PDB file of all heavy atoms in Angstrom:
ATOM      1  N   THR A 518      96.995  26.662 169.314  1.00  0.00           N
ATOM      2  CA  THR A 518      97.002  28.124 169.276  1.00  0.00           C
ATOM      3  C   THR A 518      96.925  28.703 167.879  1.00  0.00           C
ATOM      4  O   THR A 518      96.653  29.887 167.724  1.00  0.00           O
ATOM      5  CB  THR A 518      98.281  28.668 169.941  1.00  0.00           C
ATOM      6  OG1 THR A 518      99.405  28.072 169.290  1.00  0.00           O
ATOM      7  CG2 THR A 518      98.314  28.327 171.412  1.00  0.00           C
ATOM      8  N   CYS A 519      97.223  27.917 166.852  1.00  0.00           N
ATOM      9  CA  CYS A 519      97.170  28.432 165.496  1.00  0.00           C
ATOM     10  C   CYS A 519      97.009  27.279 164.512  1.00  0.00           C
ATOM     11  O   CYS A 519      97.167  26.100 164.873  1.00  0.00           O
ATOM     12  CB  CYS A 519      98.421  29.247 165.157  1.00  0.00           C
ATOM     13  SG  CYS A 519      99.932  28.259 165.057  1.00  0.00           S
ATOM     14  N   ILE A 520      96.697  27.622 163.274  1.00  0.00           N
ATOM     15  CA  ILE A 520      96.440  26.612 162.244  1.00  0.00           C
ATOM     16  C   ILE A 520      97.693  25.794 161.952  1.00  0.00           C
ATOM     17  O   ILE A 520      97.629  24.576 161.789  1.00  0.00           O
ATOM     18  CB  ILE A 520      95.925  27.301 160.963  1.00  0.00           C
ATOM     19  CG1 ILE A 520      94.580  27.976 161.222  1.00  0.00           C
ATOM     20  CG2 ILE A 520      95.809  26.308 159.823  1.00  0.00           C
ATOM     21  CD1 ILE A 520      94.112  28.889 160.105  1.00  0.00           C
ATOM     22  N   SER A 521      98.850  26.444 161.908  1.00  0.00           N
ATOM     23  CA  SER A 521     100.083  25.737 161.590  1.00  0.00           C
ATOM     24  C   SER A 521     100.359  24.622 162.580  1.00  0.00           C
ATOM     25  O   SER A 521     100.713  23.504 162.202  1.00  0.00           O
ATOM     26  CB  SER A 521     101.265  26.715 161.559  1.00  0.00           C
ATOM     27  OG  SER A 521     102.480  26.038 161.307  1.00  0.00           O
ATOM     28  N   HIS A 522     100.186  24.897 163.870  1.00  0.00           N
ATOM     29  CA  HIS A 522     100.421  23.865 164.878  1.00  0.00           C
ATOM     30  C   HIS A 522      99.396  22.741 164.760  1.00  0.00           C
ATOM     31  O   HIS A 522      99.735  21.561 164.930  1.00  0.00           O
ATOM     32  CB  HIS A 522     100.365  24.491 166.269  1.00  0.00           C
ATOM     33  CG  HIS A 522     101.451  25.483 166.507  1.00  0.00           C
ATOM     34  ND1 HIS A 522     101.396  26.426 167.511  1.00  0.00           N
ATOM     35  CD2 HIS A 522     102.618  25.718 165.856  1.00  0.00           C
ATOM     36  CE1 HIS A 522     102.481  27.173 167.487  1.00  0.00           C
ATOM     37  NE2 HIS A 522     103.236  26.769 166.482  1.00  0.00           N
ATOM     38  N   ALA A 523      98.158  23.088 164.461  1.00  0.00           N
ATOM     39  CA  ALA A 523      97.128  22.054 164.282  1.00  0.00           C
ATOM     40  C   ALA A 523      97.480  21.149 163.107  1.00  0.00           C
ATOM     41  O   ALA A 523      97.380  19.917 163.196  1.00  0.00           O
ATOM     42  CB  ALA A 523      95.763  22.708 164.069  1.00  0.00           C
ATOM     43  N   LEU A 524      97.918  21.746 161.982  1.00  0.00           N
ATOM     44  CA  LEU A 524      98.259  20.945 160.810  1.00  0.00           C
ATOM     45  C   LEU A 524      99.499  20.091 161.057  1.00  0.00           C
ATOM     46  O   LEU A 524      99.604  18.963 160.549  1.00  0.00           O
ATOM     47  CB  LEU A 524      98.487  21.846 159.593  1.00  0.00           C
ATOM     48  CG  LEU A 524      97.285  22.650 159.072  1.00  0.00           C
ATOM     49  CD1 LEU A 524      97.580  23.177 157.672  1.00  0.00           C
ATOM     50  CD2 LEU A 524      96.009  21.849 159.078  1.00  0.00           C
ATOM     51  N   GLN A 525     100.447  20.626 161.821  1.00  0.00           N
ATOM     52  CA  GLN A 525     101.633  19.835 162.132  1.00  0.00           C
ATOM     53  C   GLN A 525     101.252  18.581 162.916  1.00  0.00           C
ATOM     54  O   GLN A 525     101.783  17.499 162.657  1.00  0.00           O
ATOM     55  CB  GLN A 525     102.637  20.675 162.918  1.00  0.00           C
ATOM     56  CG  GLN A 525     103.345  21.726 162.079  1.00  0.00           C
ATOM     57  CD  GLN A 525     104.327  22.536 162.886  1.00  0.00           C
ATOM     58  OE1 GLN A 525     105.155  21.977 163.604  1.00  0.00           O
ATOM     59  NE2 GLN A 525     104.239  23.860 162.780  1.00  0.00           N
ATOM     60  N   TRP A 526     100.352  18.741 163.866  1.00  0.00           N
ATOM     61  CA  TRP A 526      99.939  17.569 164.647  1.00  0.00           C
ATOM     62  C   TRP A 526      99.147  16.589 163.785  1.00  0.00           C
ATOM     63  O   TRP A 526      99.363  15.383 163.832  1.00  0.00           O
ATOM     64  CB  TRP A 526      99.114  17.983 165.860  1.00  0.00           C
ATOM     65  CG  TRP A 526      98.733  16.793 166.702  1.00  0.00           C
ATOM     66  CD1 TRP A 526      99.511  16.162 167.628  1.00  0.00           C
ATOM     67  CD2 TRP A 526      97.503  16.071 166.646  1.00  0.00           C
ATOM     68  NE1 TRP A 526      98.842  15.086 168.163  1.00  0.00           N
ATOM     69  CE2 TRP A 526      97.607  15.006 167.573  1.00  0.00           C
ATOM     70  CE3 TRP A 526      96.327  16.213 165.908  1.00  0.00           C
ATOM     71  CZ2 TRP A 526      96.568  14.092 167.778  1.00  0.00           C
ATOM     72  CZ3 TRP A 526      95.298  15.303 166.116  1.00  0.00           C
ATOM     73  CH2 TRP A 526      95.421  14.261 167.034  1.00  0.00           C
ATOM     74  N   ILE A 527      98.229  17.096 162.978  1.00  0.00           N
ATOM     75  CA  ILE A 527      97.391  16.218 162.159  1.00  0.00           C
ATOM     76  C   ILE A 527      98.224  15.464 161.124  1.00  0.00           C
ATOM     77  O   ILE A 527      98.056  14.258 160.917  1.00  0.00           O
ATOM     78  CB  ILE A 527      96.293  17.041 161.455  1.00  0.00           C
ATOM     79  CG1 ILE A 527      95.293  17.597 162.483  1.00  0.00           C
ATOM     80  CG2 ILE A 527      95.555  16.188 160.422  1.00  0.00           C
ATOM     81  CD1 ILE A 527      94.331  18.628 161.917  1.00  0.00           C
ATOM     82  N   SER A 528      99.139  16.166 160.471  1.00  0.00           N
ATOM     83  CA  SER A 528      99.869  15.557 159.351  1.00  0.00           C
ATOM     84  C   SER A 528     101.057  14.708 159.801  1.00  0.00           C
ATOM     85  O   SER A 528     101.491  13.811 159.061  1.00  0.00           O
ATOM     86  CB  SER A 528     100.347  16.637 158.386  1.00  0.00           C
ATOM     87  OG  SER A 528     101.268  17.508 159.020  1.00  0.00           O
ATOM     88  N   GLN A 529     101.639  15.005 160.960  1.00  0.00           N
ATOM     89  CA  GLN A 529     102.778  14.231 161.482  1.00  0.00           C
ATOM     90  C   GLN A 529     103.903  14.092 160.452  1.00  0.00           C
ATOM     91  O   GLN A 529     104.537  13.043 160.320  1.00  0.00           O
ATOM     92  CB  GLN A 529     102.299  12.845 161.943  1.00  0.00           C
ATOM     93  CG  GLN A 529     101.426  12.861 163.175  1.00  0.00           C
ATOM     94  CD  GLN A 529     102.138  13.412 164.405  1.00  0.00           C
ATOM     95  OE1 GLN A 529     103.264  13.002 164.718  1.00  0.00           O
ATOM     96  NE2 GLN A 529     101.511  14.356 165.080  1.00  0.00           N
ATOM     97  N   GLY A 530     104.122  15.148 159.692  1.00  0.00           N
ATOM     98  CA  GLY A 530     105.200  15.146 158.713  1.00  0.00           C
ATOM     99  C   GLY A 530     104.929  14.323 157.472  1.00  0.00           C
ATOM    100  O   GLY A 530     105.822  14.150 156.632  1.00  0.00           O
ATOM    101  N   ARG A 531     103.688  13.841 157.312  1.00  0.00           N
ATOM    102  CA  ARG A 531     103.382  12.923 156.204  1.00  0.00           C
ATOM    103  C   ARG A 531     102.782  13.632 154.999  1.00  0.00           C
ATOM    104  O   ARG A 531     102.534  13.000 153.971  1.00  0.00           O
ATOM    105  CB  ARG A 531     102.438  11.815 156.700  1.00  0.00           C
ATOM    106  CG  ARG A 531     103.008  11.008 157.856  1.00  0.00           C
ATOM    107  CD  ARG A 531     102.038   9.948 158.321  1.00  0.00           C
ATOM    108  NE  ARG A 531     101.862   8.909 157.306  1.00  0.00           N
ATOM    109  CZ  ARG A 531     100.920   7.960 157.364  1.00  0.00           C
ATOM    110  NH1 ARG A 531     100.069   7.946 158.380  1.00  0.00           N
ATOM    111  NH2 ARG A 531     100.838   7.057 156.410  1.00  0.00           N
TER     112      ARG A 531
END
Side-chain angles (χ1 to χ4, degrees):
T518 55
C519 68
I520 296 169
S521 178
H522 295 162
L524 296 195
Q525 287 180 50
W526 182 81
I527 293 169
S528 63
Q529 291 298 311
R531 302 179 68 190

